[in-house]
């Protein structure tokens, strides 16, 4: 049976956003199968042919009550296997590059995966630093480029990725490289925040000035209308006076005509 025909849509808790889900046992995606069997070339080919599977959640539920045991995106699953993608892993450098490339195209196909927490509230960056004593620098940088503020997101234990690296990573160049990468991400985020604040401040000042100009223009229009209204009122008053004077003259003429008739 087709995997896609059995996909379900669920709504995230507290959100109106729907996400695609498949069951780990009943209808896992082909992309998940490739990743699960660590067939990285097959996984890359599947991303290229079926990019929608990059945003499809794989869910495992308890057989008795249906409660969720775990829920992951393909990116989470790759990062959970990051002990196999360390820079000094036994796998060949070619295999490591395949895995790095897989993370790259997963993020290209579905960038939001980098900022999507799993059922335990863990981001992919939490998983990669938690599952490898020597975090892969390229993968870490790819995740940080996709979601730089992830460096400050805390897991369910209140730990940021920096905290996890300090706690679990082996002392050495890989640990230092990971900390430098996350420091750069934080600085980049801080600069962006400051830039946005400055831009917002400029926009707000511009809006205030525009509002002030509009108020002044409105006041000038109101004053002009009031002057025109006053002038029109005076003209109407003069016209009424002239009309009354004209009516008086007509009455006088009528009286004179009547008088002449009587004579």
């Amino acid at each position: 049976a087709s995997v896609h025909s059995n996909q379900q849509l669920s709504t995230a808790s507290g959100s109106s956003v729907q996400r695609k889900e498949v069951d780990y046992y009943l209808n896992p995606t082909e992309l998940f199968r490739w990743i699960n069997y660590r067939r990285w070339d097959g996984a890359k080919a599947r991303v290229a042919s079926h990019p929608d599977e990059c945003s499809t959640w794989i869910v495992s539920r308890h057989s008795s009550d249906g409660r969720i045991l775990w829920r992951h995106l393909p990116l989470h699953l790759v990062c959970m296997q990051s002990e196999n993608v360390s820079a000094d892993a036994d796998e060949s450098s070619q295999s490591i590059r395949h895995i790095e490339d897989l993370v790259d195209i997963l993020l290209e196909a579905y960038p939001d995966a980098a900022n999507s927490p799993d059922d335990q509230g863990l981001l992919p960056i939490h998983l990669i630093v938690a599952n490898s004593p020597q975090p892969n620098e390229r993968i870490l940088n790819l995740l940080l480029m996709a979601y730089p503020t992830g460096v400050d997101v805390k897991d369910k234990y209140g730990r940021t990725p920096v905290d996890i690296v300090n706690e679990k990573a082996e002392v050495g160049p890989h640990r230092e490289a990971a900390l430098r990468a996350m420091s750069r991400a934080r600085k980049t985020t801080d600069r962006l925040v400051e830039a946005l604040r400055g831009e917002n401040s400029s926009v707000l000042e511009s809006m205030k000035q525009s509002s002030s100009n509009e108020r002044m223009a409105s006041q000038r229009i109101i004053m002009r209308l009031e002057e025109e209204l006053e002038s029109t009122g005076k003209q109407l008053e003069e016209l009424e006076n002239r009309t009354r004077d004209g009516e008086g003259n007509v009455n006088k003429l009528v009286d004179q005509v009547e008088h002449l008739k009587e004579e």
Side-chain angles (χ1 to χ4, degrees):
S2 171
V3 168
H4 298 286
S5 63
N6 294 321
Q7 287 182 352
Q8 296 180 346
L9 291 176
S10 71
T11 301
S13 177
S15 171
S16 61
V17 177
Q18 289 186 323
R19 56 190 175 199
K20 293 176 290 184
E21 289 184 355
V22 294
D23 188 271
Y24 168 66
Y25 293 104
L26 300 179
N27 60 327
T29 62
E30 287 300 315
L31 176 57
F32 168 77
R33 294 178 189 272
W34 288 114
I35 294 173
N36 195 43
Y37 293 123
R38 300 177 184 176
R39 299 292 298 274
W40 312 121
D41 279 340
K44 288 193 292 183
R46 187 66 180 182
V47 171
S49 63
H50 294 76
D52 58 297
E53 293 186 2
C54 299
S55 59
T56 300
W57 292 81
I58 313 298
V59 183
S60 176
R61 298 180 183 275
H62 197 281
S63 58
S64 61
D65 55 18
R67 72 177 184 274
I68 293 176
L69 299 176
W70 54 262
R71 177 194 282 119
H72 295 128
L73 286 170
L75 183 62
H76 292 104
L77 297 168
V78 175
C79 291
M80 288 173 66
Q81 300 188 42
S82 57
E83 72 273 11
N84 297 311
V85 298
S86 298
D88 294 332
D90 292 335
E91 292 180 278
S92 67
S93 59
Q94 183 178 3
S95 296
I96 295 171
R97 284 196 300 272
H98 284 321
I99 300 167
E100 294 171 344
D101 292 343
L102 175 58
V103 171
D104 193 4
I105 62 174
L106 283 170
L107 286 168
E108 183 178 357
Y110 187 53
D112 285 347
N115 60 279
S116 298
D118 66 7
D119 60 295
Q120 298 296 314
L122 300 175
L123 297 174
I125 192 172
H126 289 117
L127 294 170
I128 192 169
V129 296
N131 284 281
S132 175
Q134 298 179 357
N136 182 281
E137 186 176 356
R138 184 186 172 197
I139 293 177
L140 189 59
N141 279 313
L142 287 170
L143 294 172
L144 289 170
M145 283 190 293
Y147 186 47
T149 56
V151 73
D152 291 319
V153 175
K154 296 180 179 180
D155 65 10
K156 63 179 181 178
Y157 302 109
R159 303 174 304 175
T160 66
V162 174
D163 295 330
I164 298 174
V165 168
N166 285 324
E167 177 185 331
K168 293 194 171 186
E170 295 177 354
V171 176
H174 301 299
R175 178 178 182 273
E176 297 305 316
L179 292 174
R180 283 197 303 272
M182 288 188 279
S183 176
R184 286 194 301 270
R186 181 177 287 114
K187 290 177 181 177
T188 299
T189 300
D190 290 343
R191 285 196 298 268
L192 288 172
V193 169
E194 287 301 318
L196 287 173
R197 284 176 179 169
E199 183 177 340
N200 289 339
S201 177
S202 298
V203 170
L204 181 59
E205 187 61 33
S206 176
M207 291 176 66
K208 287 181 178 178
Q209 185 62 44
S210 176
S211 178
S212 176
N213 292 339
E214 289 177 0
R215 283 197 301 270
M216 292 177 62
S218 297
Q219 289 172 354
R220 287 194 293 268
I221 292 172
I222 291 172
M223 291 174 62
R224 187 170 67 250
L225 290 174
E226 288 176 342
E227 291 172 354
E228 292 177 356
L229 183 60
E230 183 180 1
S231 175
T232 302
K234 290 179 179 179
Q235 291 175 3
L236 287 173
E237 186 178 354
E238 291 176 359
L239 181 60
E240 289 175 354
N241 291 334
R242 290 174 185 174
T243 301
R244 283 195 296 269
D245 292 342
E247 290 176 349
N249 292 332
V250 169
N251 290 333
K252 287 180 182 180
L253 290 173
V254 170
D255 290 342
Q256 291 176 1
V257 169
E258 292 294 329
H259 181 70
L260 290 172
K261 287 180 178 179
E262 291 176 359
E263 292 179 351

